[in-house]
Amino acid sequence: MKSVLFALPNQIPQPGLFGNLNNLKYPTFPPLGLMYIASVIEKLGNSVEIIDLSVFDYSDEYIFKRIVSADFVGINVFTHSFKLAKNLARRIKSLSEDILIIIGGPHCTFLKEKSLNDIPEAKIAVVLEGENVIKEIIKYLEGKRNLSEIPGIYYREGKEIKKGKPFEIIEDLDLIPFPARHLIDESKYGKFPWYDFSKIKYTSMITSRGCPFRCRFCSRYCNVFPRWGYRERSSENVVKELVELNDKYGFVTIVDDNFLTNIKRAHLIFDELIEYGTDILIQILGTRCDIVDRVLFDKMKRVNVRYITFGVESGNQDVLDFYNKKITLNQIRNTLKLADDFGFNNSATLILGAPIETKTHINNTIDFICSLPLDHIIVHILFYDMGSDLWVEAVKEGKISKDEFEVPSIIERGLSNFTYDELINYQNIVARKFYMRIKYIIKQIIKSINDKDSLRLKQIIRVLISLQFKNFLFPIDVHK
């Protein structure tokens, strides 16, 4: 049996590096979810191919050659880009009218049967985790299962959309085979706004699913599937994958929502990596700002953890409390000070547009992040995403329809004190004020030299001699 899995662009515009305000779009991460599904398909003895349309817009002729003999195709659907999936499904059907199309991903999980109405060319929609579900779908294609018997799907039967059996959570994540990384071209990934890791063979991995915390802005599956909870892979299983990656890759990003949730497990993982002597560079993408563990940071440094992204979100305590972050500004300062002492490259995520946020709040955030030992910032505009507590509350208050899955926090909808254009402008101002500081630039040059990071040093020099440096010479006064 042959299948083809399609990944679509899942790109988020961000203000550019060092005051470069041309929004960068970056297919940073490989399609990890599809790589897990592909691994399961291969373990069953079947053929599978991954086509990532975020890397290259392949021609109809190229796609046709790959799907003409396939038994089914799968499309990973994100809600903010589901129209791309709709167009792709239509395109596939125009090339091969009888082919079975299966869709999955966040859009299907939150919209359920509506996702099949959104993409009428698809016959099956998979909700939540697909590793076990795909096994059952293959049995259906072999004539060994009825769709009504398969848990975790919605399916089309004639003009009706029906539901399979209730979804079954994968309790033991160690049972899932490692992703089929050989099916993608690693050189196409790892391109962050501030660094191109693709040059040293980049990949990503995930060691847990879900998050035990409840930040109000975060889209949560448990708001539509109450049984969905936080689960972790064992330290042994995580180390086994990292040791395998150590022999094949130069850099890996751990993309958990919160990798250091279980400090005891983190210690075990790093202890084992120290014993193995791995040298792969590691980035930890999701980290809270309430971790002040010098012993843990020392172990992380010894196993080549180089980059850490912290969820700072705001420089205002009342905004952090509104988001239910359960951290304080002092905890943020202390954690980032310790991380800087160990020489990590530290990034912070920020969110603009909370309903209680004013211009004064934004200025406070600028002052706060400029006082922190940060190397990079990622500035987001608040969206009320389907599944988040903010979205649920806004639906109850009648500010958002239950059919709206992604609504910007704007004054026109009674969700913030700013228009969308104002938030975009502030997003750019925050980035510019942070990056275009002489103290910051000098520190980055010294850090690049000390780390022998020639690529980053070249990038800094390129920015300094560009026209973007005028943003430093003639700064904008946002406090007016």
Side-chain angles (χ1 to χ4, degrees):
M1 185 171 295
K2 179 183 177 182
S3 57
V4 180
L5 307 180
F6 286 89
L8 288 164
N10 180 31
Q11 302 167 341
I12 302 172
Q14 292 295 333
L17 181 63
F18 297 121
N20 177 0
L21 300 182
N22 294 321
N23 283 345
L24 295 177
K25 295 183 178 181
Y26 46 95
T28 305
F29 307 112
L32 201 55
L34 291 184
M35 289 152 60
Y36 270 115
I37 300 297
S39 183
V40 172
I41 293 172
E42 285 191 325
K43 292 289 184 184
L44 296 173
N46 299 305
S47 172
V48 60
E49 182 176 357
I50 294 177
I51 298 177
D52 191 346
L53 296 178
S54 70
V55 171
F56 189 78
D57 187 12
Y58 295 96
S59 66
D60 285 351
E61 181 182 6
Y62 179 93
I63 292 176
F64 176 74
K65 286 180 179 179
R66 275 142 186 84
I67 68 173
V68 65
S69 60
D71 295 278
F72 70 91
V73 301
I75 304 174
N76 193 21
V77 188
F78 291 89
T79 296
H80 63 268
S81 58
F82 86 90
K83 290 182 180 179
L84 295 177
K86 181 184 179 73
N87 292 336
L88 175 61
R90 186 182 298 125
R91 184 178 171 191
I92 290 171
K93 279 291 187 180
S94 71
L95 297 172
S96 182
E97 184 178 357
D98 296 327
I99 197 164
L100 170 66
I101 297 179
I102 302 168
I103 56 176
H107 189 71
C108 302
T109 296
F110 286 119
L111 277 296
K112 302 176 184 177
E113 64 268 29
K114 186 179 181 301
S115 64
L116 287 175
N117 288 326
D118 290 337
I119 305 175
E121 292 80 8
K123 180 172 182 176
I124 301 172
V126 178
V127 301
L128 294 171
E129 299 162 319
E131 289 89 354
N132 286 347
V133 177
I134 197 64
K135 298 177 186 177
E136 298 301 309
I137 292 176
I138 288 174
K139 290 178 181 177
Y140 155 73
L141 292 172
E142 294 171 340
K144 300 175 182 178
R145 284 284 188 279
N146 294 320
L147 290 176
S148 60
E149 300 175 310
I150 300 177
I153 68 166
Y154 289 83
Y155 62 96
R156 199 181 304 279
E157 191 173 277
K159 295 184 178 181
E160 291 186 74
I161 295 177
K162 296 185 176 182
K163 182 181 178 180
K165 288 185 175 181
F167 172 76
E168 297 175 359
I169 290 174
I170 302 175
E171 298 289 354
D172 188 354
L173 299 182
D174 286 4
L175 298 177
I176 302 174
F178 297 157
R181 293 184 171 89
H182 61 280
L183 295 178
I184 62 160
D185 180 356
E186 299 95 341
S187 68
K188 304 299 183 183
Y189 304 95
K191 297 179 180 179
F192 288 78
W194 56 84
Y195 200 97
D196 184 359
F197 296 114
S198 67
K199 299 180 185 299
I200 53 175
K201 203 168 184 186
Y202 172 88
T203 191
S204 63
M205 66 180 290
I206 189 166
T207 77
S208 64
R209 294 186 178 182
C211 178
F213 298 95
R214 193 149 191 150
C215 300
R216 295 174 71 198
F217 53 79
C218 190
S219 185
R220 298 171 58 85
Y221 285 163
C222 67
N223 278 332
V224 290
F225 289 91
R227 292 187 298 115
W228 180 266
Y230 175 72
R231 291 151 295 145
E232 315 175 313
R233 294 164 55 189
S234 69
S235 61
E236 295 84 1
N237 186 256
V238 173
V239 170
K240 181 180 179 182
E241 183 174 3
L242 279 166
V243 170
E244 286 189 12
L245 296 180
N246 187 67
D247 296 331
K248 303 174 183 176
Y249 295 87
F251 195 100
V252 59
T253 297
I254 298 175
V255 297
D256 297 38
D257 288 338
N258 199 328
F259 175 67
L260 299 179
T261 292
N262 185 340
I263 296 295
K264 181 179 179 180
R265 185 186 75 135
H267 275 285
L268 290 172
I269 290 171
F270 295 127
D271 284 340
E272 292 185 56
L273 291 178
I274 291 171
E275 185 177 344
Y276 274 103
T278 56
D279 58 6
I280 187 173
L281 298 177
I282 299 173
Q283 177 189 32
I284 299 175
L285 198 62
T287 311
R288 284 178 59 82
C289 290
D290 53 2
I291 300 166
V292 184
D293 188 329
R294 182 171 291 273
V295 175
L296 179 65
F297 278 14
D298 180 63
K299 292 176 182 178
M300 290 163 59
K301 186 70 174 180
R302 290 169 64 187
V303 300
N304 270 335
V305 172
R306 188 72 61 86
Y307 297 83
I308 307 176
T309 301
F310 293 93
V312 172
E313 320 312 359
S314 176
N316 302 272
Q317 189 60 54
D318 57 343
V319 175
L320 295 177
D321 294 341
F322 173 80
Y323 285 143
N324 195 36
K325 284 290 294 182
K326 298 190 182 300
I327 56 173
T328 66
L329 295 177
N330 277 336
Q331 284 178 311
I332 295 171
R333 290 189 188 97
N334 293 338
T335 299
L336 285 168
K337 172 63 168 59
L338 183 63
D340 186 60
D341 288 345
F342 277 91
F344 298 123
N345 282 272
N346 301 310
S347 302
T349 57
L350 302 170
I351 303 175
L352 304 179
I356 66 170
E357 201 162 22
T358 64
K359 183 177 179 180
T360 299
H361 283 96
I362 294 177
N363 289 330
N364 289 342
T365 293
I366 292 172
D367 292 340
F368 183 64
I369 61 168
C370 288
S371 73
L372 299 174
L374 287 166
D375 297 285
H376 315 287
I377 58 171
I378 303 98
V379 190
H380 297 287
I381 290 171
L382 176 64
F383 274 76
Y384 283 59
D385 290 329
M386 182 173 286
S388 69
D389 287 348
L390 286 177
W391 182 89
V392 172
E393 294 160 12
V395 169
K396 289 180 180 178
E397 295 170 0
K399 295 180 178 180
I400 292 176
S401 163
K402 65 179 182 179
D403 294 325
E404 293 181 286
F405 40 76
E406 194 178 46
V407 181
S409 181
I410 54 176
I411 192 169
E412 293 88 344
R413 300 294 299 267
L415 300 175
S416 82
N417 296 307
F418 303 99
T419 66
Y420 189 70
D421 286 343
E422 287 173 330
L423 288 173
I424 289 289
N425 185 48
Y426 276 122
Q427 183 187 37
N428 291 329
I429 289 172
V430 171
R432 192 155 57 215
K433 293 290 286 186
F434 174 80
Y435 285 116
M436 302 314 296
R437 294 174 290 140
I438 190 66
K439 182 180 178 181
Y440 169 82
I441 293 170
I442 291 173
K443 179 180 178 180
Q444 292 302 308
I445 293 173
I446 293 172
K447 201 167 188 176
S448 298
I449 294 171
N450 290 341
D451 291 344
K452 298 180 180 179
D453 192 342
S454 60
L455 287 176
R456 175 147 180 79
L457 185 60
K458 288 178 183 177
Q459 190 175 33
I460 294 170
I461 294 171
R462 187 168 60 250
V463 172
L464 290 179
I465 63 176
S466 74
L467 292 176
Q468 293 300 325
F469 196 56
K470 70 179 186 293
N471 295 323
F472 168 70
L473 296 175
F474 306 101
I476 293 175
D477 183 3
V478 298
H479 294 275
K480 285 184 178 180

